[in-house]
Structures are given as structure tokens and as C-alpha cells.
Amino acid sequence: MLDVTVIEDPSAAAVSLDPMRARLLAELASGPASAAMLAARVGLPRQKVNYHLKALERHGLVELAGERRKGNVTERLIRATASSYVISPLALAAVQPDPGRFRDQLSARWLLAVAARLVRDVGTLITGAAKARKGLATYALDGEVRFASAAARAAFVEELTRGVSALIAKYHDEDAEGGREHRVVVALHPTVKPVPQASETPAIPQAPETPETP
């Protein structure tokens, strides 16, 4: 099972977005199960679960993990092909974001378009590398920084831009025979605050104590 796989086919994306099928994928991410086992977990008749599983299997989102005898019946054990899935912009090819249409380094929507292209391109590379049975050389850096002020953030962006631009200029070789171009993406955005779980009770703010009157 892969850690993550990219869905590029529009029909496969549509299948995965069905709420019940997405639930079945989540259940199968924890391990193989039969239609009868899944039916008990999701509260559907086994026949309906089988219908959904066949749709997922046709699009390569689940696969046969094995078979077992249970009384006079042979059960098929199904597993998910990945622990998680990402839908590529290629699934909406006609309306996928194009960072080339505009370039605004301070625009959140342009950042989103760049991120969508990153998902699309890396997904395509993974698919090609898997077919060729070759490795794929990539690198990612993920971290957090807490800025004291907007001015500090602006200074960080300016210094980061200078540093990365200098590295690109240093190592870029336009005339390298047999060289391969690589894309460099650096992004900065506010950290998203975690959403409290339904079981978590938010803390009730306490009113300040009133000083006693002498």
C-alpha cells in the first residue's frame, strides 16, 4: 500500500468523492476487509457495499488482497491501494489553475495556483516513474516560523528571495549537456489553526475576580 497516491482520471475522482465510497476507502486504509465486514461497520447491506467496492476497484482505488473460506462461502478481502489520496488538477483539466496567466508573489490565489501545479506535476512524475520502475529524485522542506511583526515577515521574504535567487543563479547551467531542469517552489503562508474536535469542550473563559470591598 502506498502512503499517498494522486488521482488524475476524472471518473476516478468522481467515484472517490462519493461520501460512502470515501468512507469505505477510509475503512480499508486500516487493513483488508470483506464486504460483509465493511457492511457491519458502515451500516449498509452487503450487496450495496459490494456495488461500491466494484466501482472503486474498476478505477484502481482498491484491489484484491486475498480470499478466505467462511463456511460454504469464499470471501474476497479488499484493501485500499493507498493510505490517502490526492485529486490532481488534471481531473479538471479544462479549468485547472494556470500560474502562467498572472504572477503576483503576494497573491494567495496565485500561491494556490502554484500549489495546484505542484500536485499535478509531481503526480504525473510519480505515475511515470512507477510505470518505468524508476526512482524519482525530489526534495521538500517544511517548517514554521513565528514573526514578531509584519515588518519582520517582509524582511524575511526579502532575504529569502535574495538567497534562493542567488542559489539558482549559482547552480543553473543553461548549456549543460544532458542536464535536466528542475522547478523550485518556495511558499510562505500563515499556519492554519487546528479545528477543535467535536468531543473537545472549549474552555469557558473565567470572569476576572472582583476585588473585595473593605
Side-chain angles (χ1 to χ4, degrees), residues 102-166:
F102 67 100
R103 183 181 179 89
D104 181 357
Q105 290 178 306
L106 300 180
S107 166
R109 296 188 185 280
W110 187 71
L111 172 57
L112 190 61
V114 171
R117 182 184 62 191
L118 179 65
V119 172
R120 182 199 67 194
D121 290 354
V122 174
T124 299
L125 289 168
I126 289 174
T127 300
K131 288 180 179 178
R133 297 187 177 183
K134 292 184 177 180
L136 182 61
T138 61
Y139 167 78
L141 174 66
D142 181 33
E144 292 189 13
V145 55
R146 186 182 181 94
F147 296 113
S149 64
R153 183 181 63 230
F156 176 88
V157 169
E158 182 179 352
E159 189 172 343
L160 181 66
T161 301
R162 288 200 307 268
V164 174
S165 297

Side-chain angles (χ1 to χ4, degrees), residues 16-30:
S16 68
L17 290 172
D18 176 89
M20 180 49 66
R21 291 167 184 169
R23 169 79 186 279
L24 292 173
L25 286 175
E27 293 289 343
L28 290 170
S30 61

Side-chain angles (χ1 to χ4, degrees), residues 29-125:
S30 61
S34 66
M37 295 166 62
L38 292 168
R41 295 179 195 173
V42 303
L44 281 182
R46 181 177 56 81
Q47 292 82 354
K48 286 191 175 181
V49 170
N50 260 326
Y51 168 77
H52 290 307
L53 290 176
K54 287 178 181 177
L56 292 168
E57 192 171 6
R58 280 197 302 271
H59 293 91
L61 302 176
V62 302
E63 62 187 5
L64 181 66
E67 295 180 336
R68 69 177 183 183
R69 294 286 297 178
K70 191 173 182 181
N72 296 325
V73 178
T74 300
E75 284 189 328
R76 299 174 80 240
L77 294 176
I78 302 297
R79 66 184 173 196
T81 54
S83 298
S84 57
Y85 301 84
V86 175
I87 296 178
S88 169
L90 286 176
L92 292 170
V95 292
Q96 63 178 306
D98 180 8
R101 292 176 186 165
F102 67 100
R103 183 181 179 89
D104 181 357
Q105 290 178 306
L106 300 180
S107 166
R109 296 188 185 280
W110 187 71
L111 172 57
L112 190 61
V114 171
R117 182 184 62 191
L118 179 65
V119 172
R120 182 199 67 194
D121 290 354
V122 174
T124 299
L125 289 168

Side-chain angles (χ1 to χ4, degrees), residues 193-203:
K193 294 181 180 180
V195 179
Q197 299 297 319
S199 60
E200 294 180 7
T201 304

